[in-house]
Amino acid sequence: MAGKVRFVGSVQHTEDTLQRLFKTEYRTYHRLGILAQLAVGFAMAALALTVEMSRPLQGVLLLVGCLVMVSGDLPASLRADKAVDSRKGSLPKNVCSFFEDRMELSGEGSMRLEYGRFQRLIEDDGYLYLFLGRGSVCMIDKAAIEGGTPEELKDFTARRTGLAWRRGRSFLSMNLADLRQAVRDHRAR
């Protein structure tokens, strides 16, 4: 494999990093489902507060509606817990080496990835996420980047992939642009 490594990024996975990874993936690819869940929970709570019914039924409907509203990324959290449990605490360290024409991923094996294969570039305060698709992501700890700053790596990967970096958002902080992207994603499936 010829070529000079431009940047190296890595992440030593912990329970926290896996929670963040699974939640970011879920929020990135399941926005319409999260919004639908929020709407159903809101409708249940509104129904409980506005329609004449017995107090026990009203209480149950209100409780269930509130639980549905606040459990937006619970499926992701459960998947992360399952991943941690299945590895019995032995979590991998993944290393991403960035070349001019490709990225190479190593850790529990190795993989050569062309930049054109990436679908999304997402960041949060501590990590960069390079998505190949649902369930396939390279996560990088911003504090563990070698060869430059996180901003320089972001600029490099944005130029190579042709994608823009976006901030990861919780379902409660989605805006109109996020909703439009969710609709486009749904139509693309």
Side-chain angles (χ1 to χ4, degrees), residues 25-26 31 41-42 49 68 72 74 76 95 124 153 165 167 183:
E25 185 269 340
Y26 191 75
R31 286 189 201 141
F42 182 80
L49 296 173
V68 168
L74 180 62
V95 178
D124 63 24
L153 176 57
W165 282 92
R167 295 288 298 176
V183 170

Side-chain angles (χ1 to χ4, degrees), residues 150-163:
E151 286 303 315
E152 290 170 332
L153 176 57
K154 285 172 48 185
D155 290 343
F156 178 84
T157 54
R159 284 193 312 274
R160 297 301 183 278
T161 62
L163 302 170

Side-chain angles (χ1 to χ4, degrees), residues 16-74:
D16 179 60
T17 63
L18 287 180
Q19 284 288 335
R20 289 174 85 147
L21 176 70
F22 280 89
K23 286 180 180 181
T24 300
E25 185 269 340
Y26 191 75
R27 292 170 184 163
T28 299
Y29 285 97
H30 297 90
R31 286 189 201 141
L32 282 183
I34 292 169
L35 290 173
Q37 179 179 337
L38 184 62
V40 166
F42 182 80
M44 292 172 77
L47 186 67
L49 296 173
T50 60
V51 174
E52 186 80 26
M53 63 182 73
S54 69
R55 289 278 184 218
L57 181 58
Q58 185 180 32
V60 169
L61 196 57
L62 186 60
L63 176 66
V64 171
C66 290
L67 287 173
V68 168
M69 282 190 283
V70 299
S71 64
D73 52 18
L74 180 62

Side-chain angles (χ1 to χ4, degrees), residues 26-169:
Y26 191 75
R27 292 170 184 163
T28 299
Y29 285 97
H30 297 90
R31 286 189 201 141
L32 282 183
I34 292 169
L35 290 173
Q37 179 179 337
L38 184 62
V40 166
F42 182 80
M44 292 172 77
L47 186 67
L49 296 173
T50 60
V51 174
E52 186 80 26
M53 63 182 73
S54 69
R55 289 278 184 218
L57 181 58
Q58 185 180 32
V60 169
L61 196 57
L62 186 60
L63 176 66
V64 171
C66 290
L67 287 173
V68 168
M69 282 190 283
V70 299
S71 64
D73 52 18
L74 180 62
S77 188
L78 294 174
R79 283 183 48 221
D81 289 342
K82 185 177 178 182
V84 169
D85 290 345
S86 71
R87 293 175 171 279
K88 299 178 181 20
S90 176
L91 300 175
K93 178 177 182 175
N94 292 328
V95 178
C96 302
S97 301
F98 294 86
F99 297 84
E100 288 295 327
D101 63 338
R102 71 191 181 283
M103 187 188 86
E104 293 180 4
L105 175 65
S106 60
E108 295 182 305
S110 62
M111 184 182 294
R112 177 188 169 121
L113 301 167
E114 306 301 324
Y115 291 117
R117 291 185 55 196
F118 289 97
Q119 292 181 354
R120 302 265 166 68
L121 304 175
I122 306 290
E123 73 170 311
D124 63 24
D125 291 337
Y127 299 91
L128 302 175
Y129 306 86
L130 295 90
F131 284 95
L132 293 160
R134 287 176 201 262
S136 184
V137 60
C138 301
M139 182 179 185
I140 298 171
D141 185 341
K142 287 181 178 180
I145 294 172
E146 301 171 20
T149 66
E151 286 303 315
E152 290 170 332
L153 176 57
K154 285 172 48 185
D155 290 343
F156 178 84
T157 54
R159 284 193 312 274
R160 297 301 183 278
T161 62
L163 302 170
W165 282 92
R166 297 189 333 218
R167 295 288 298 176
R169 298 178 189 266

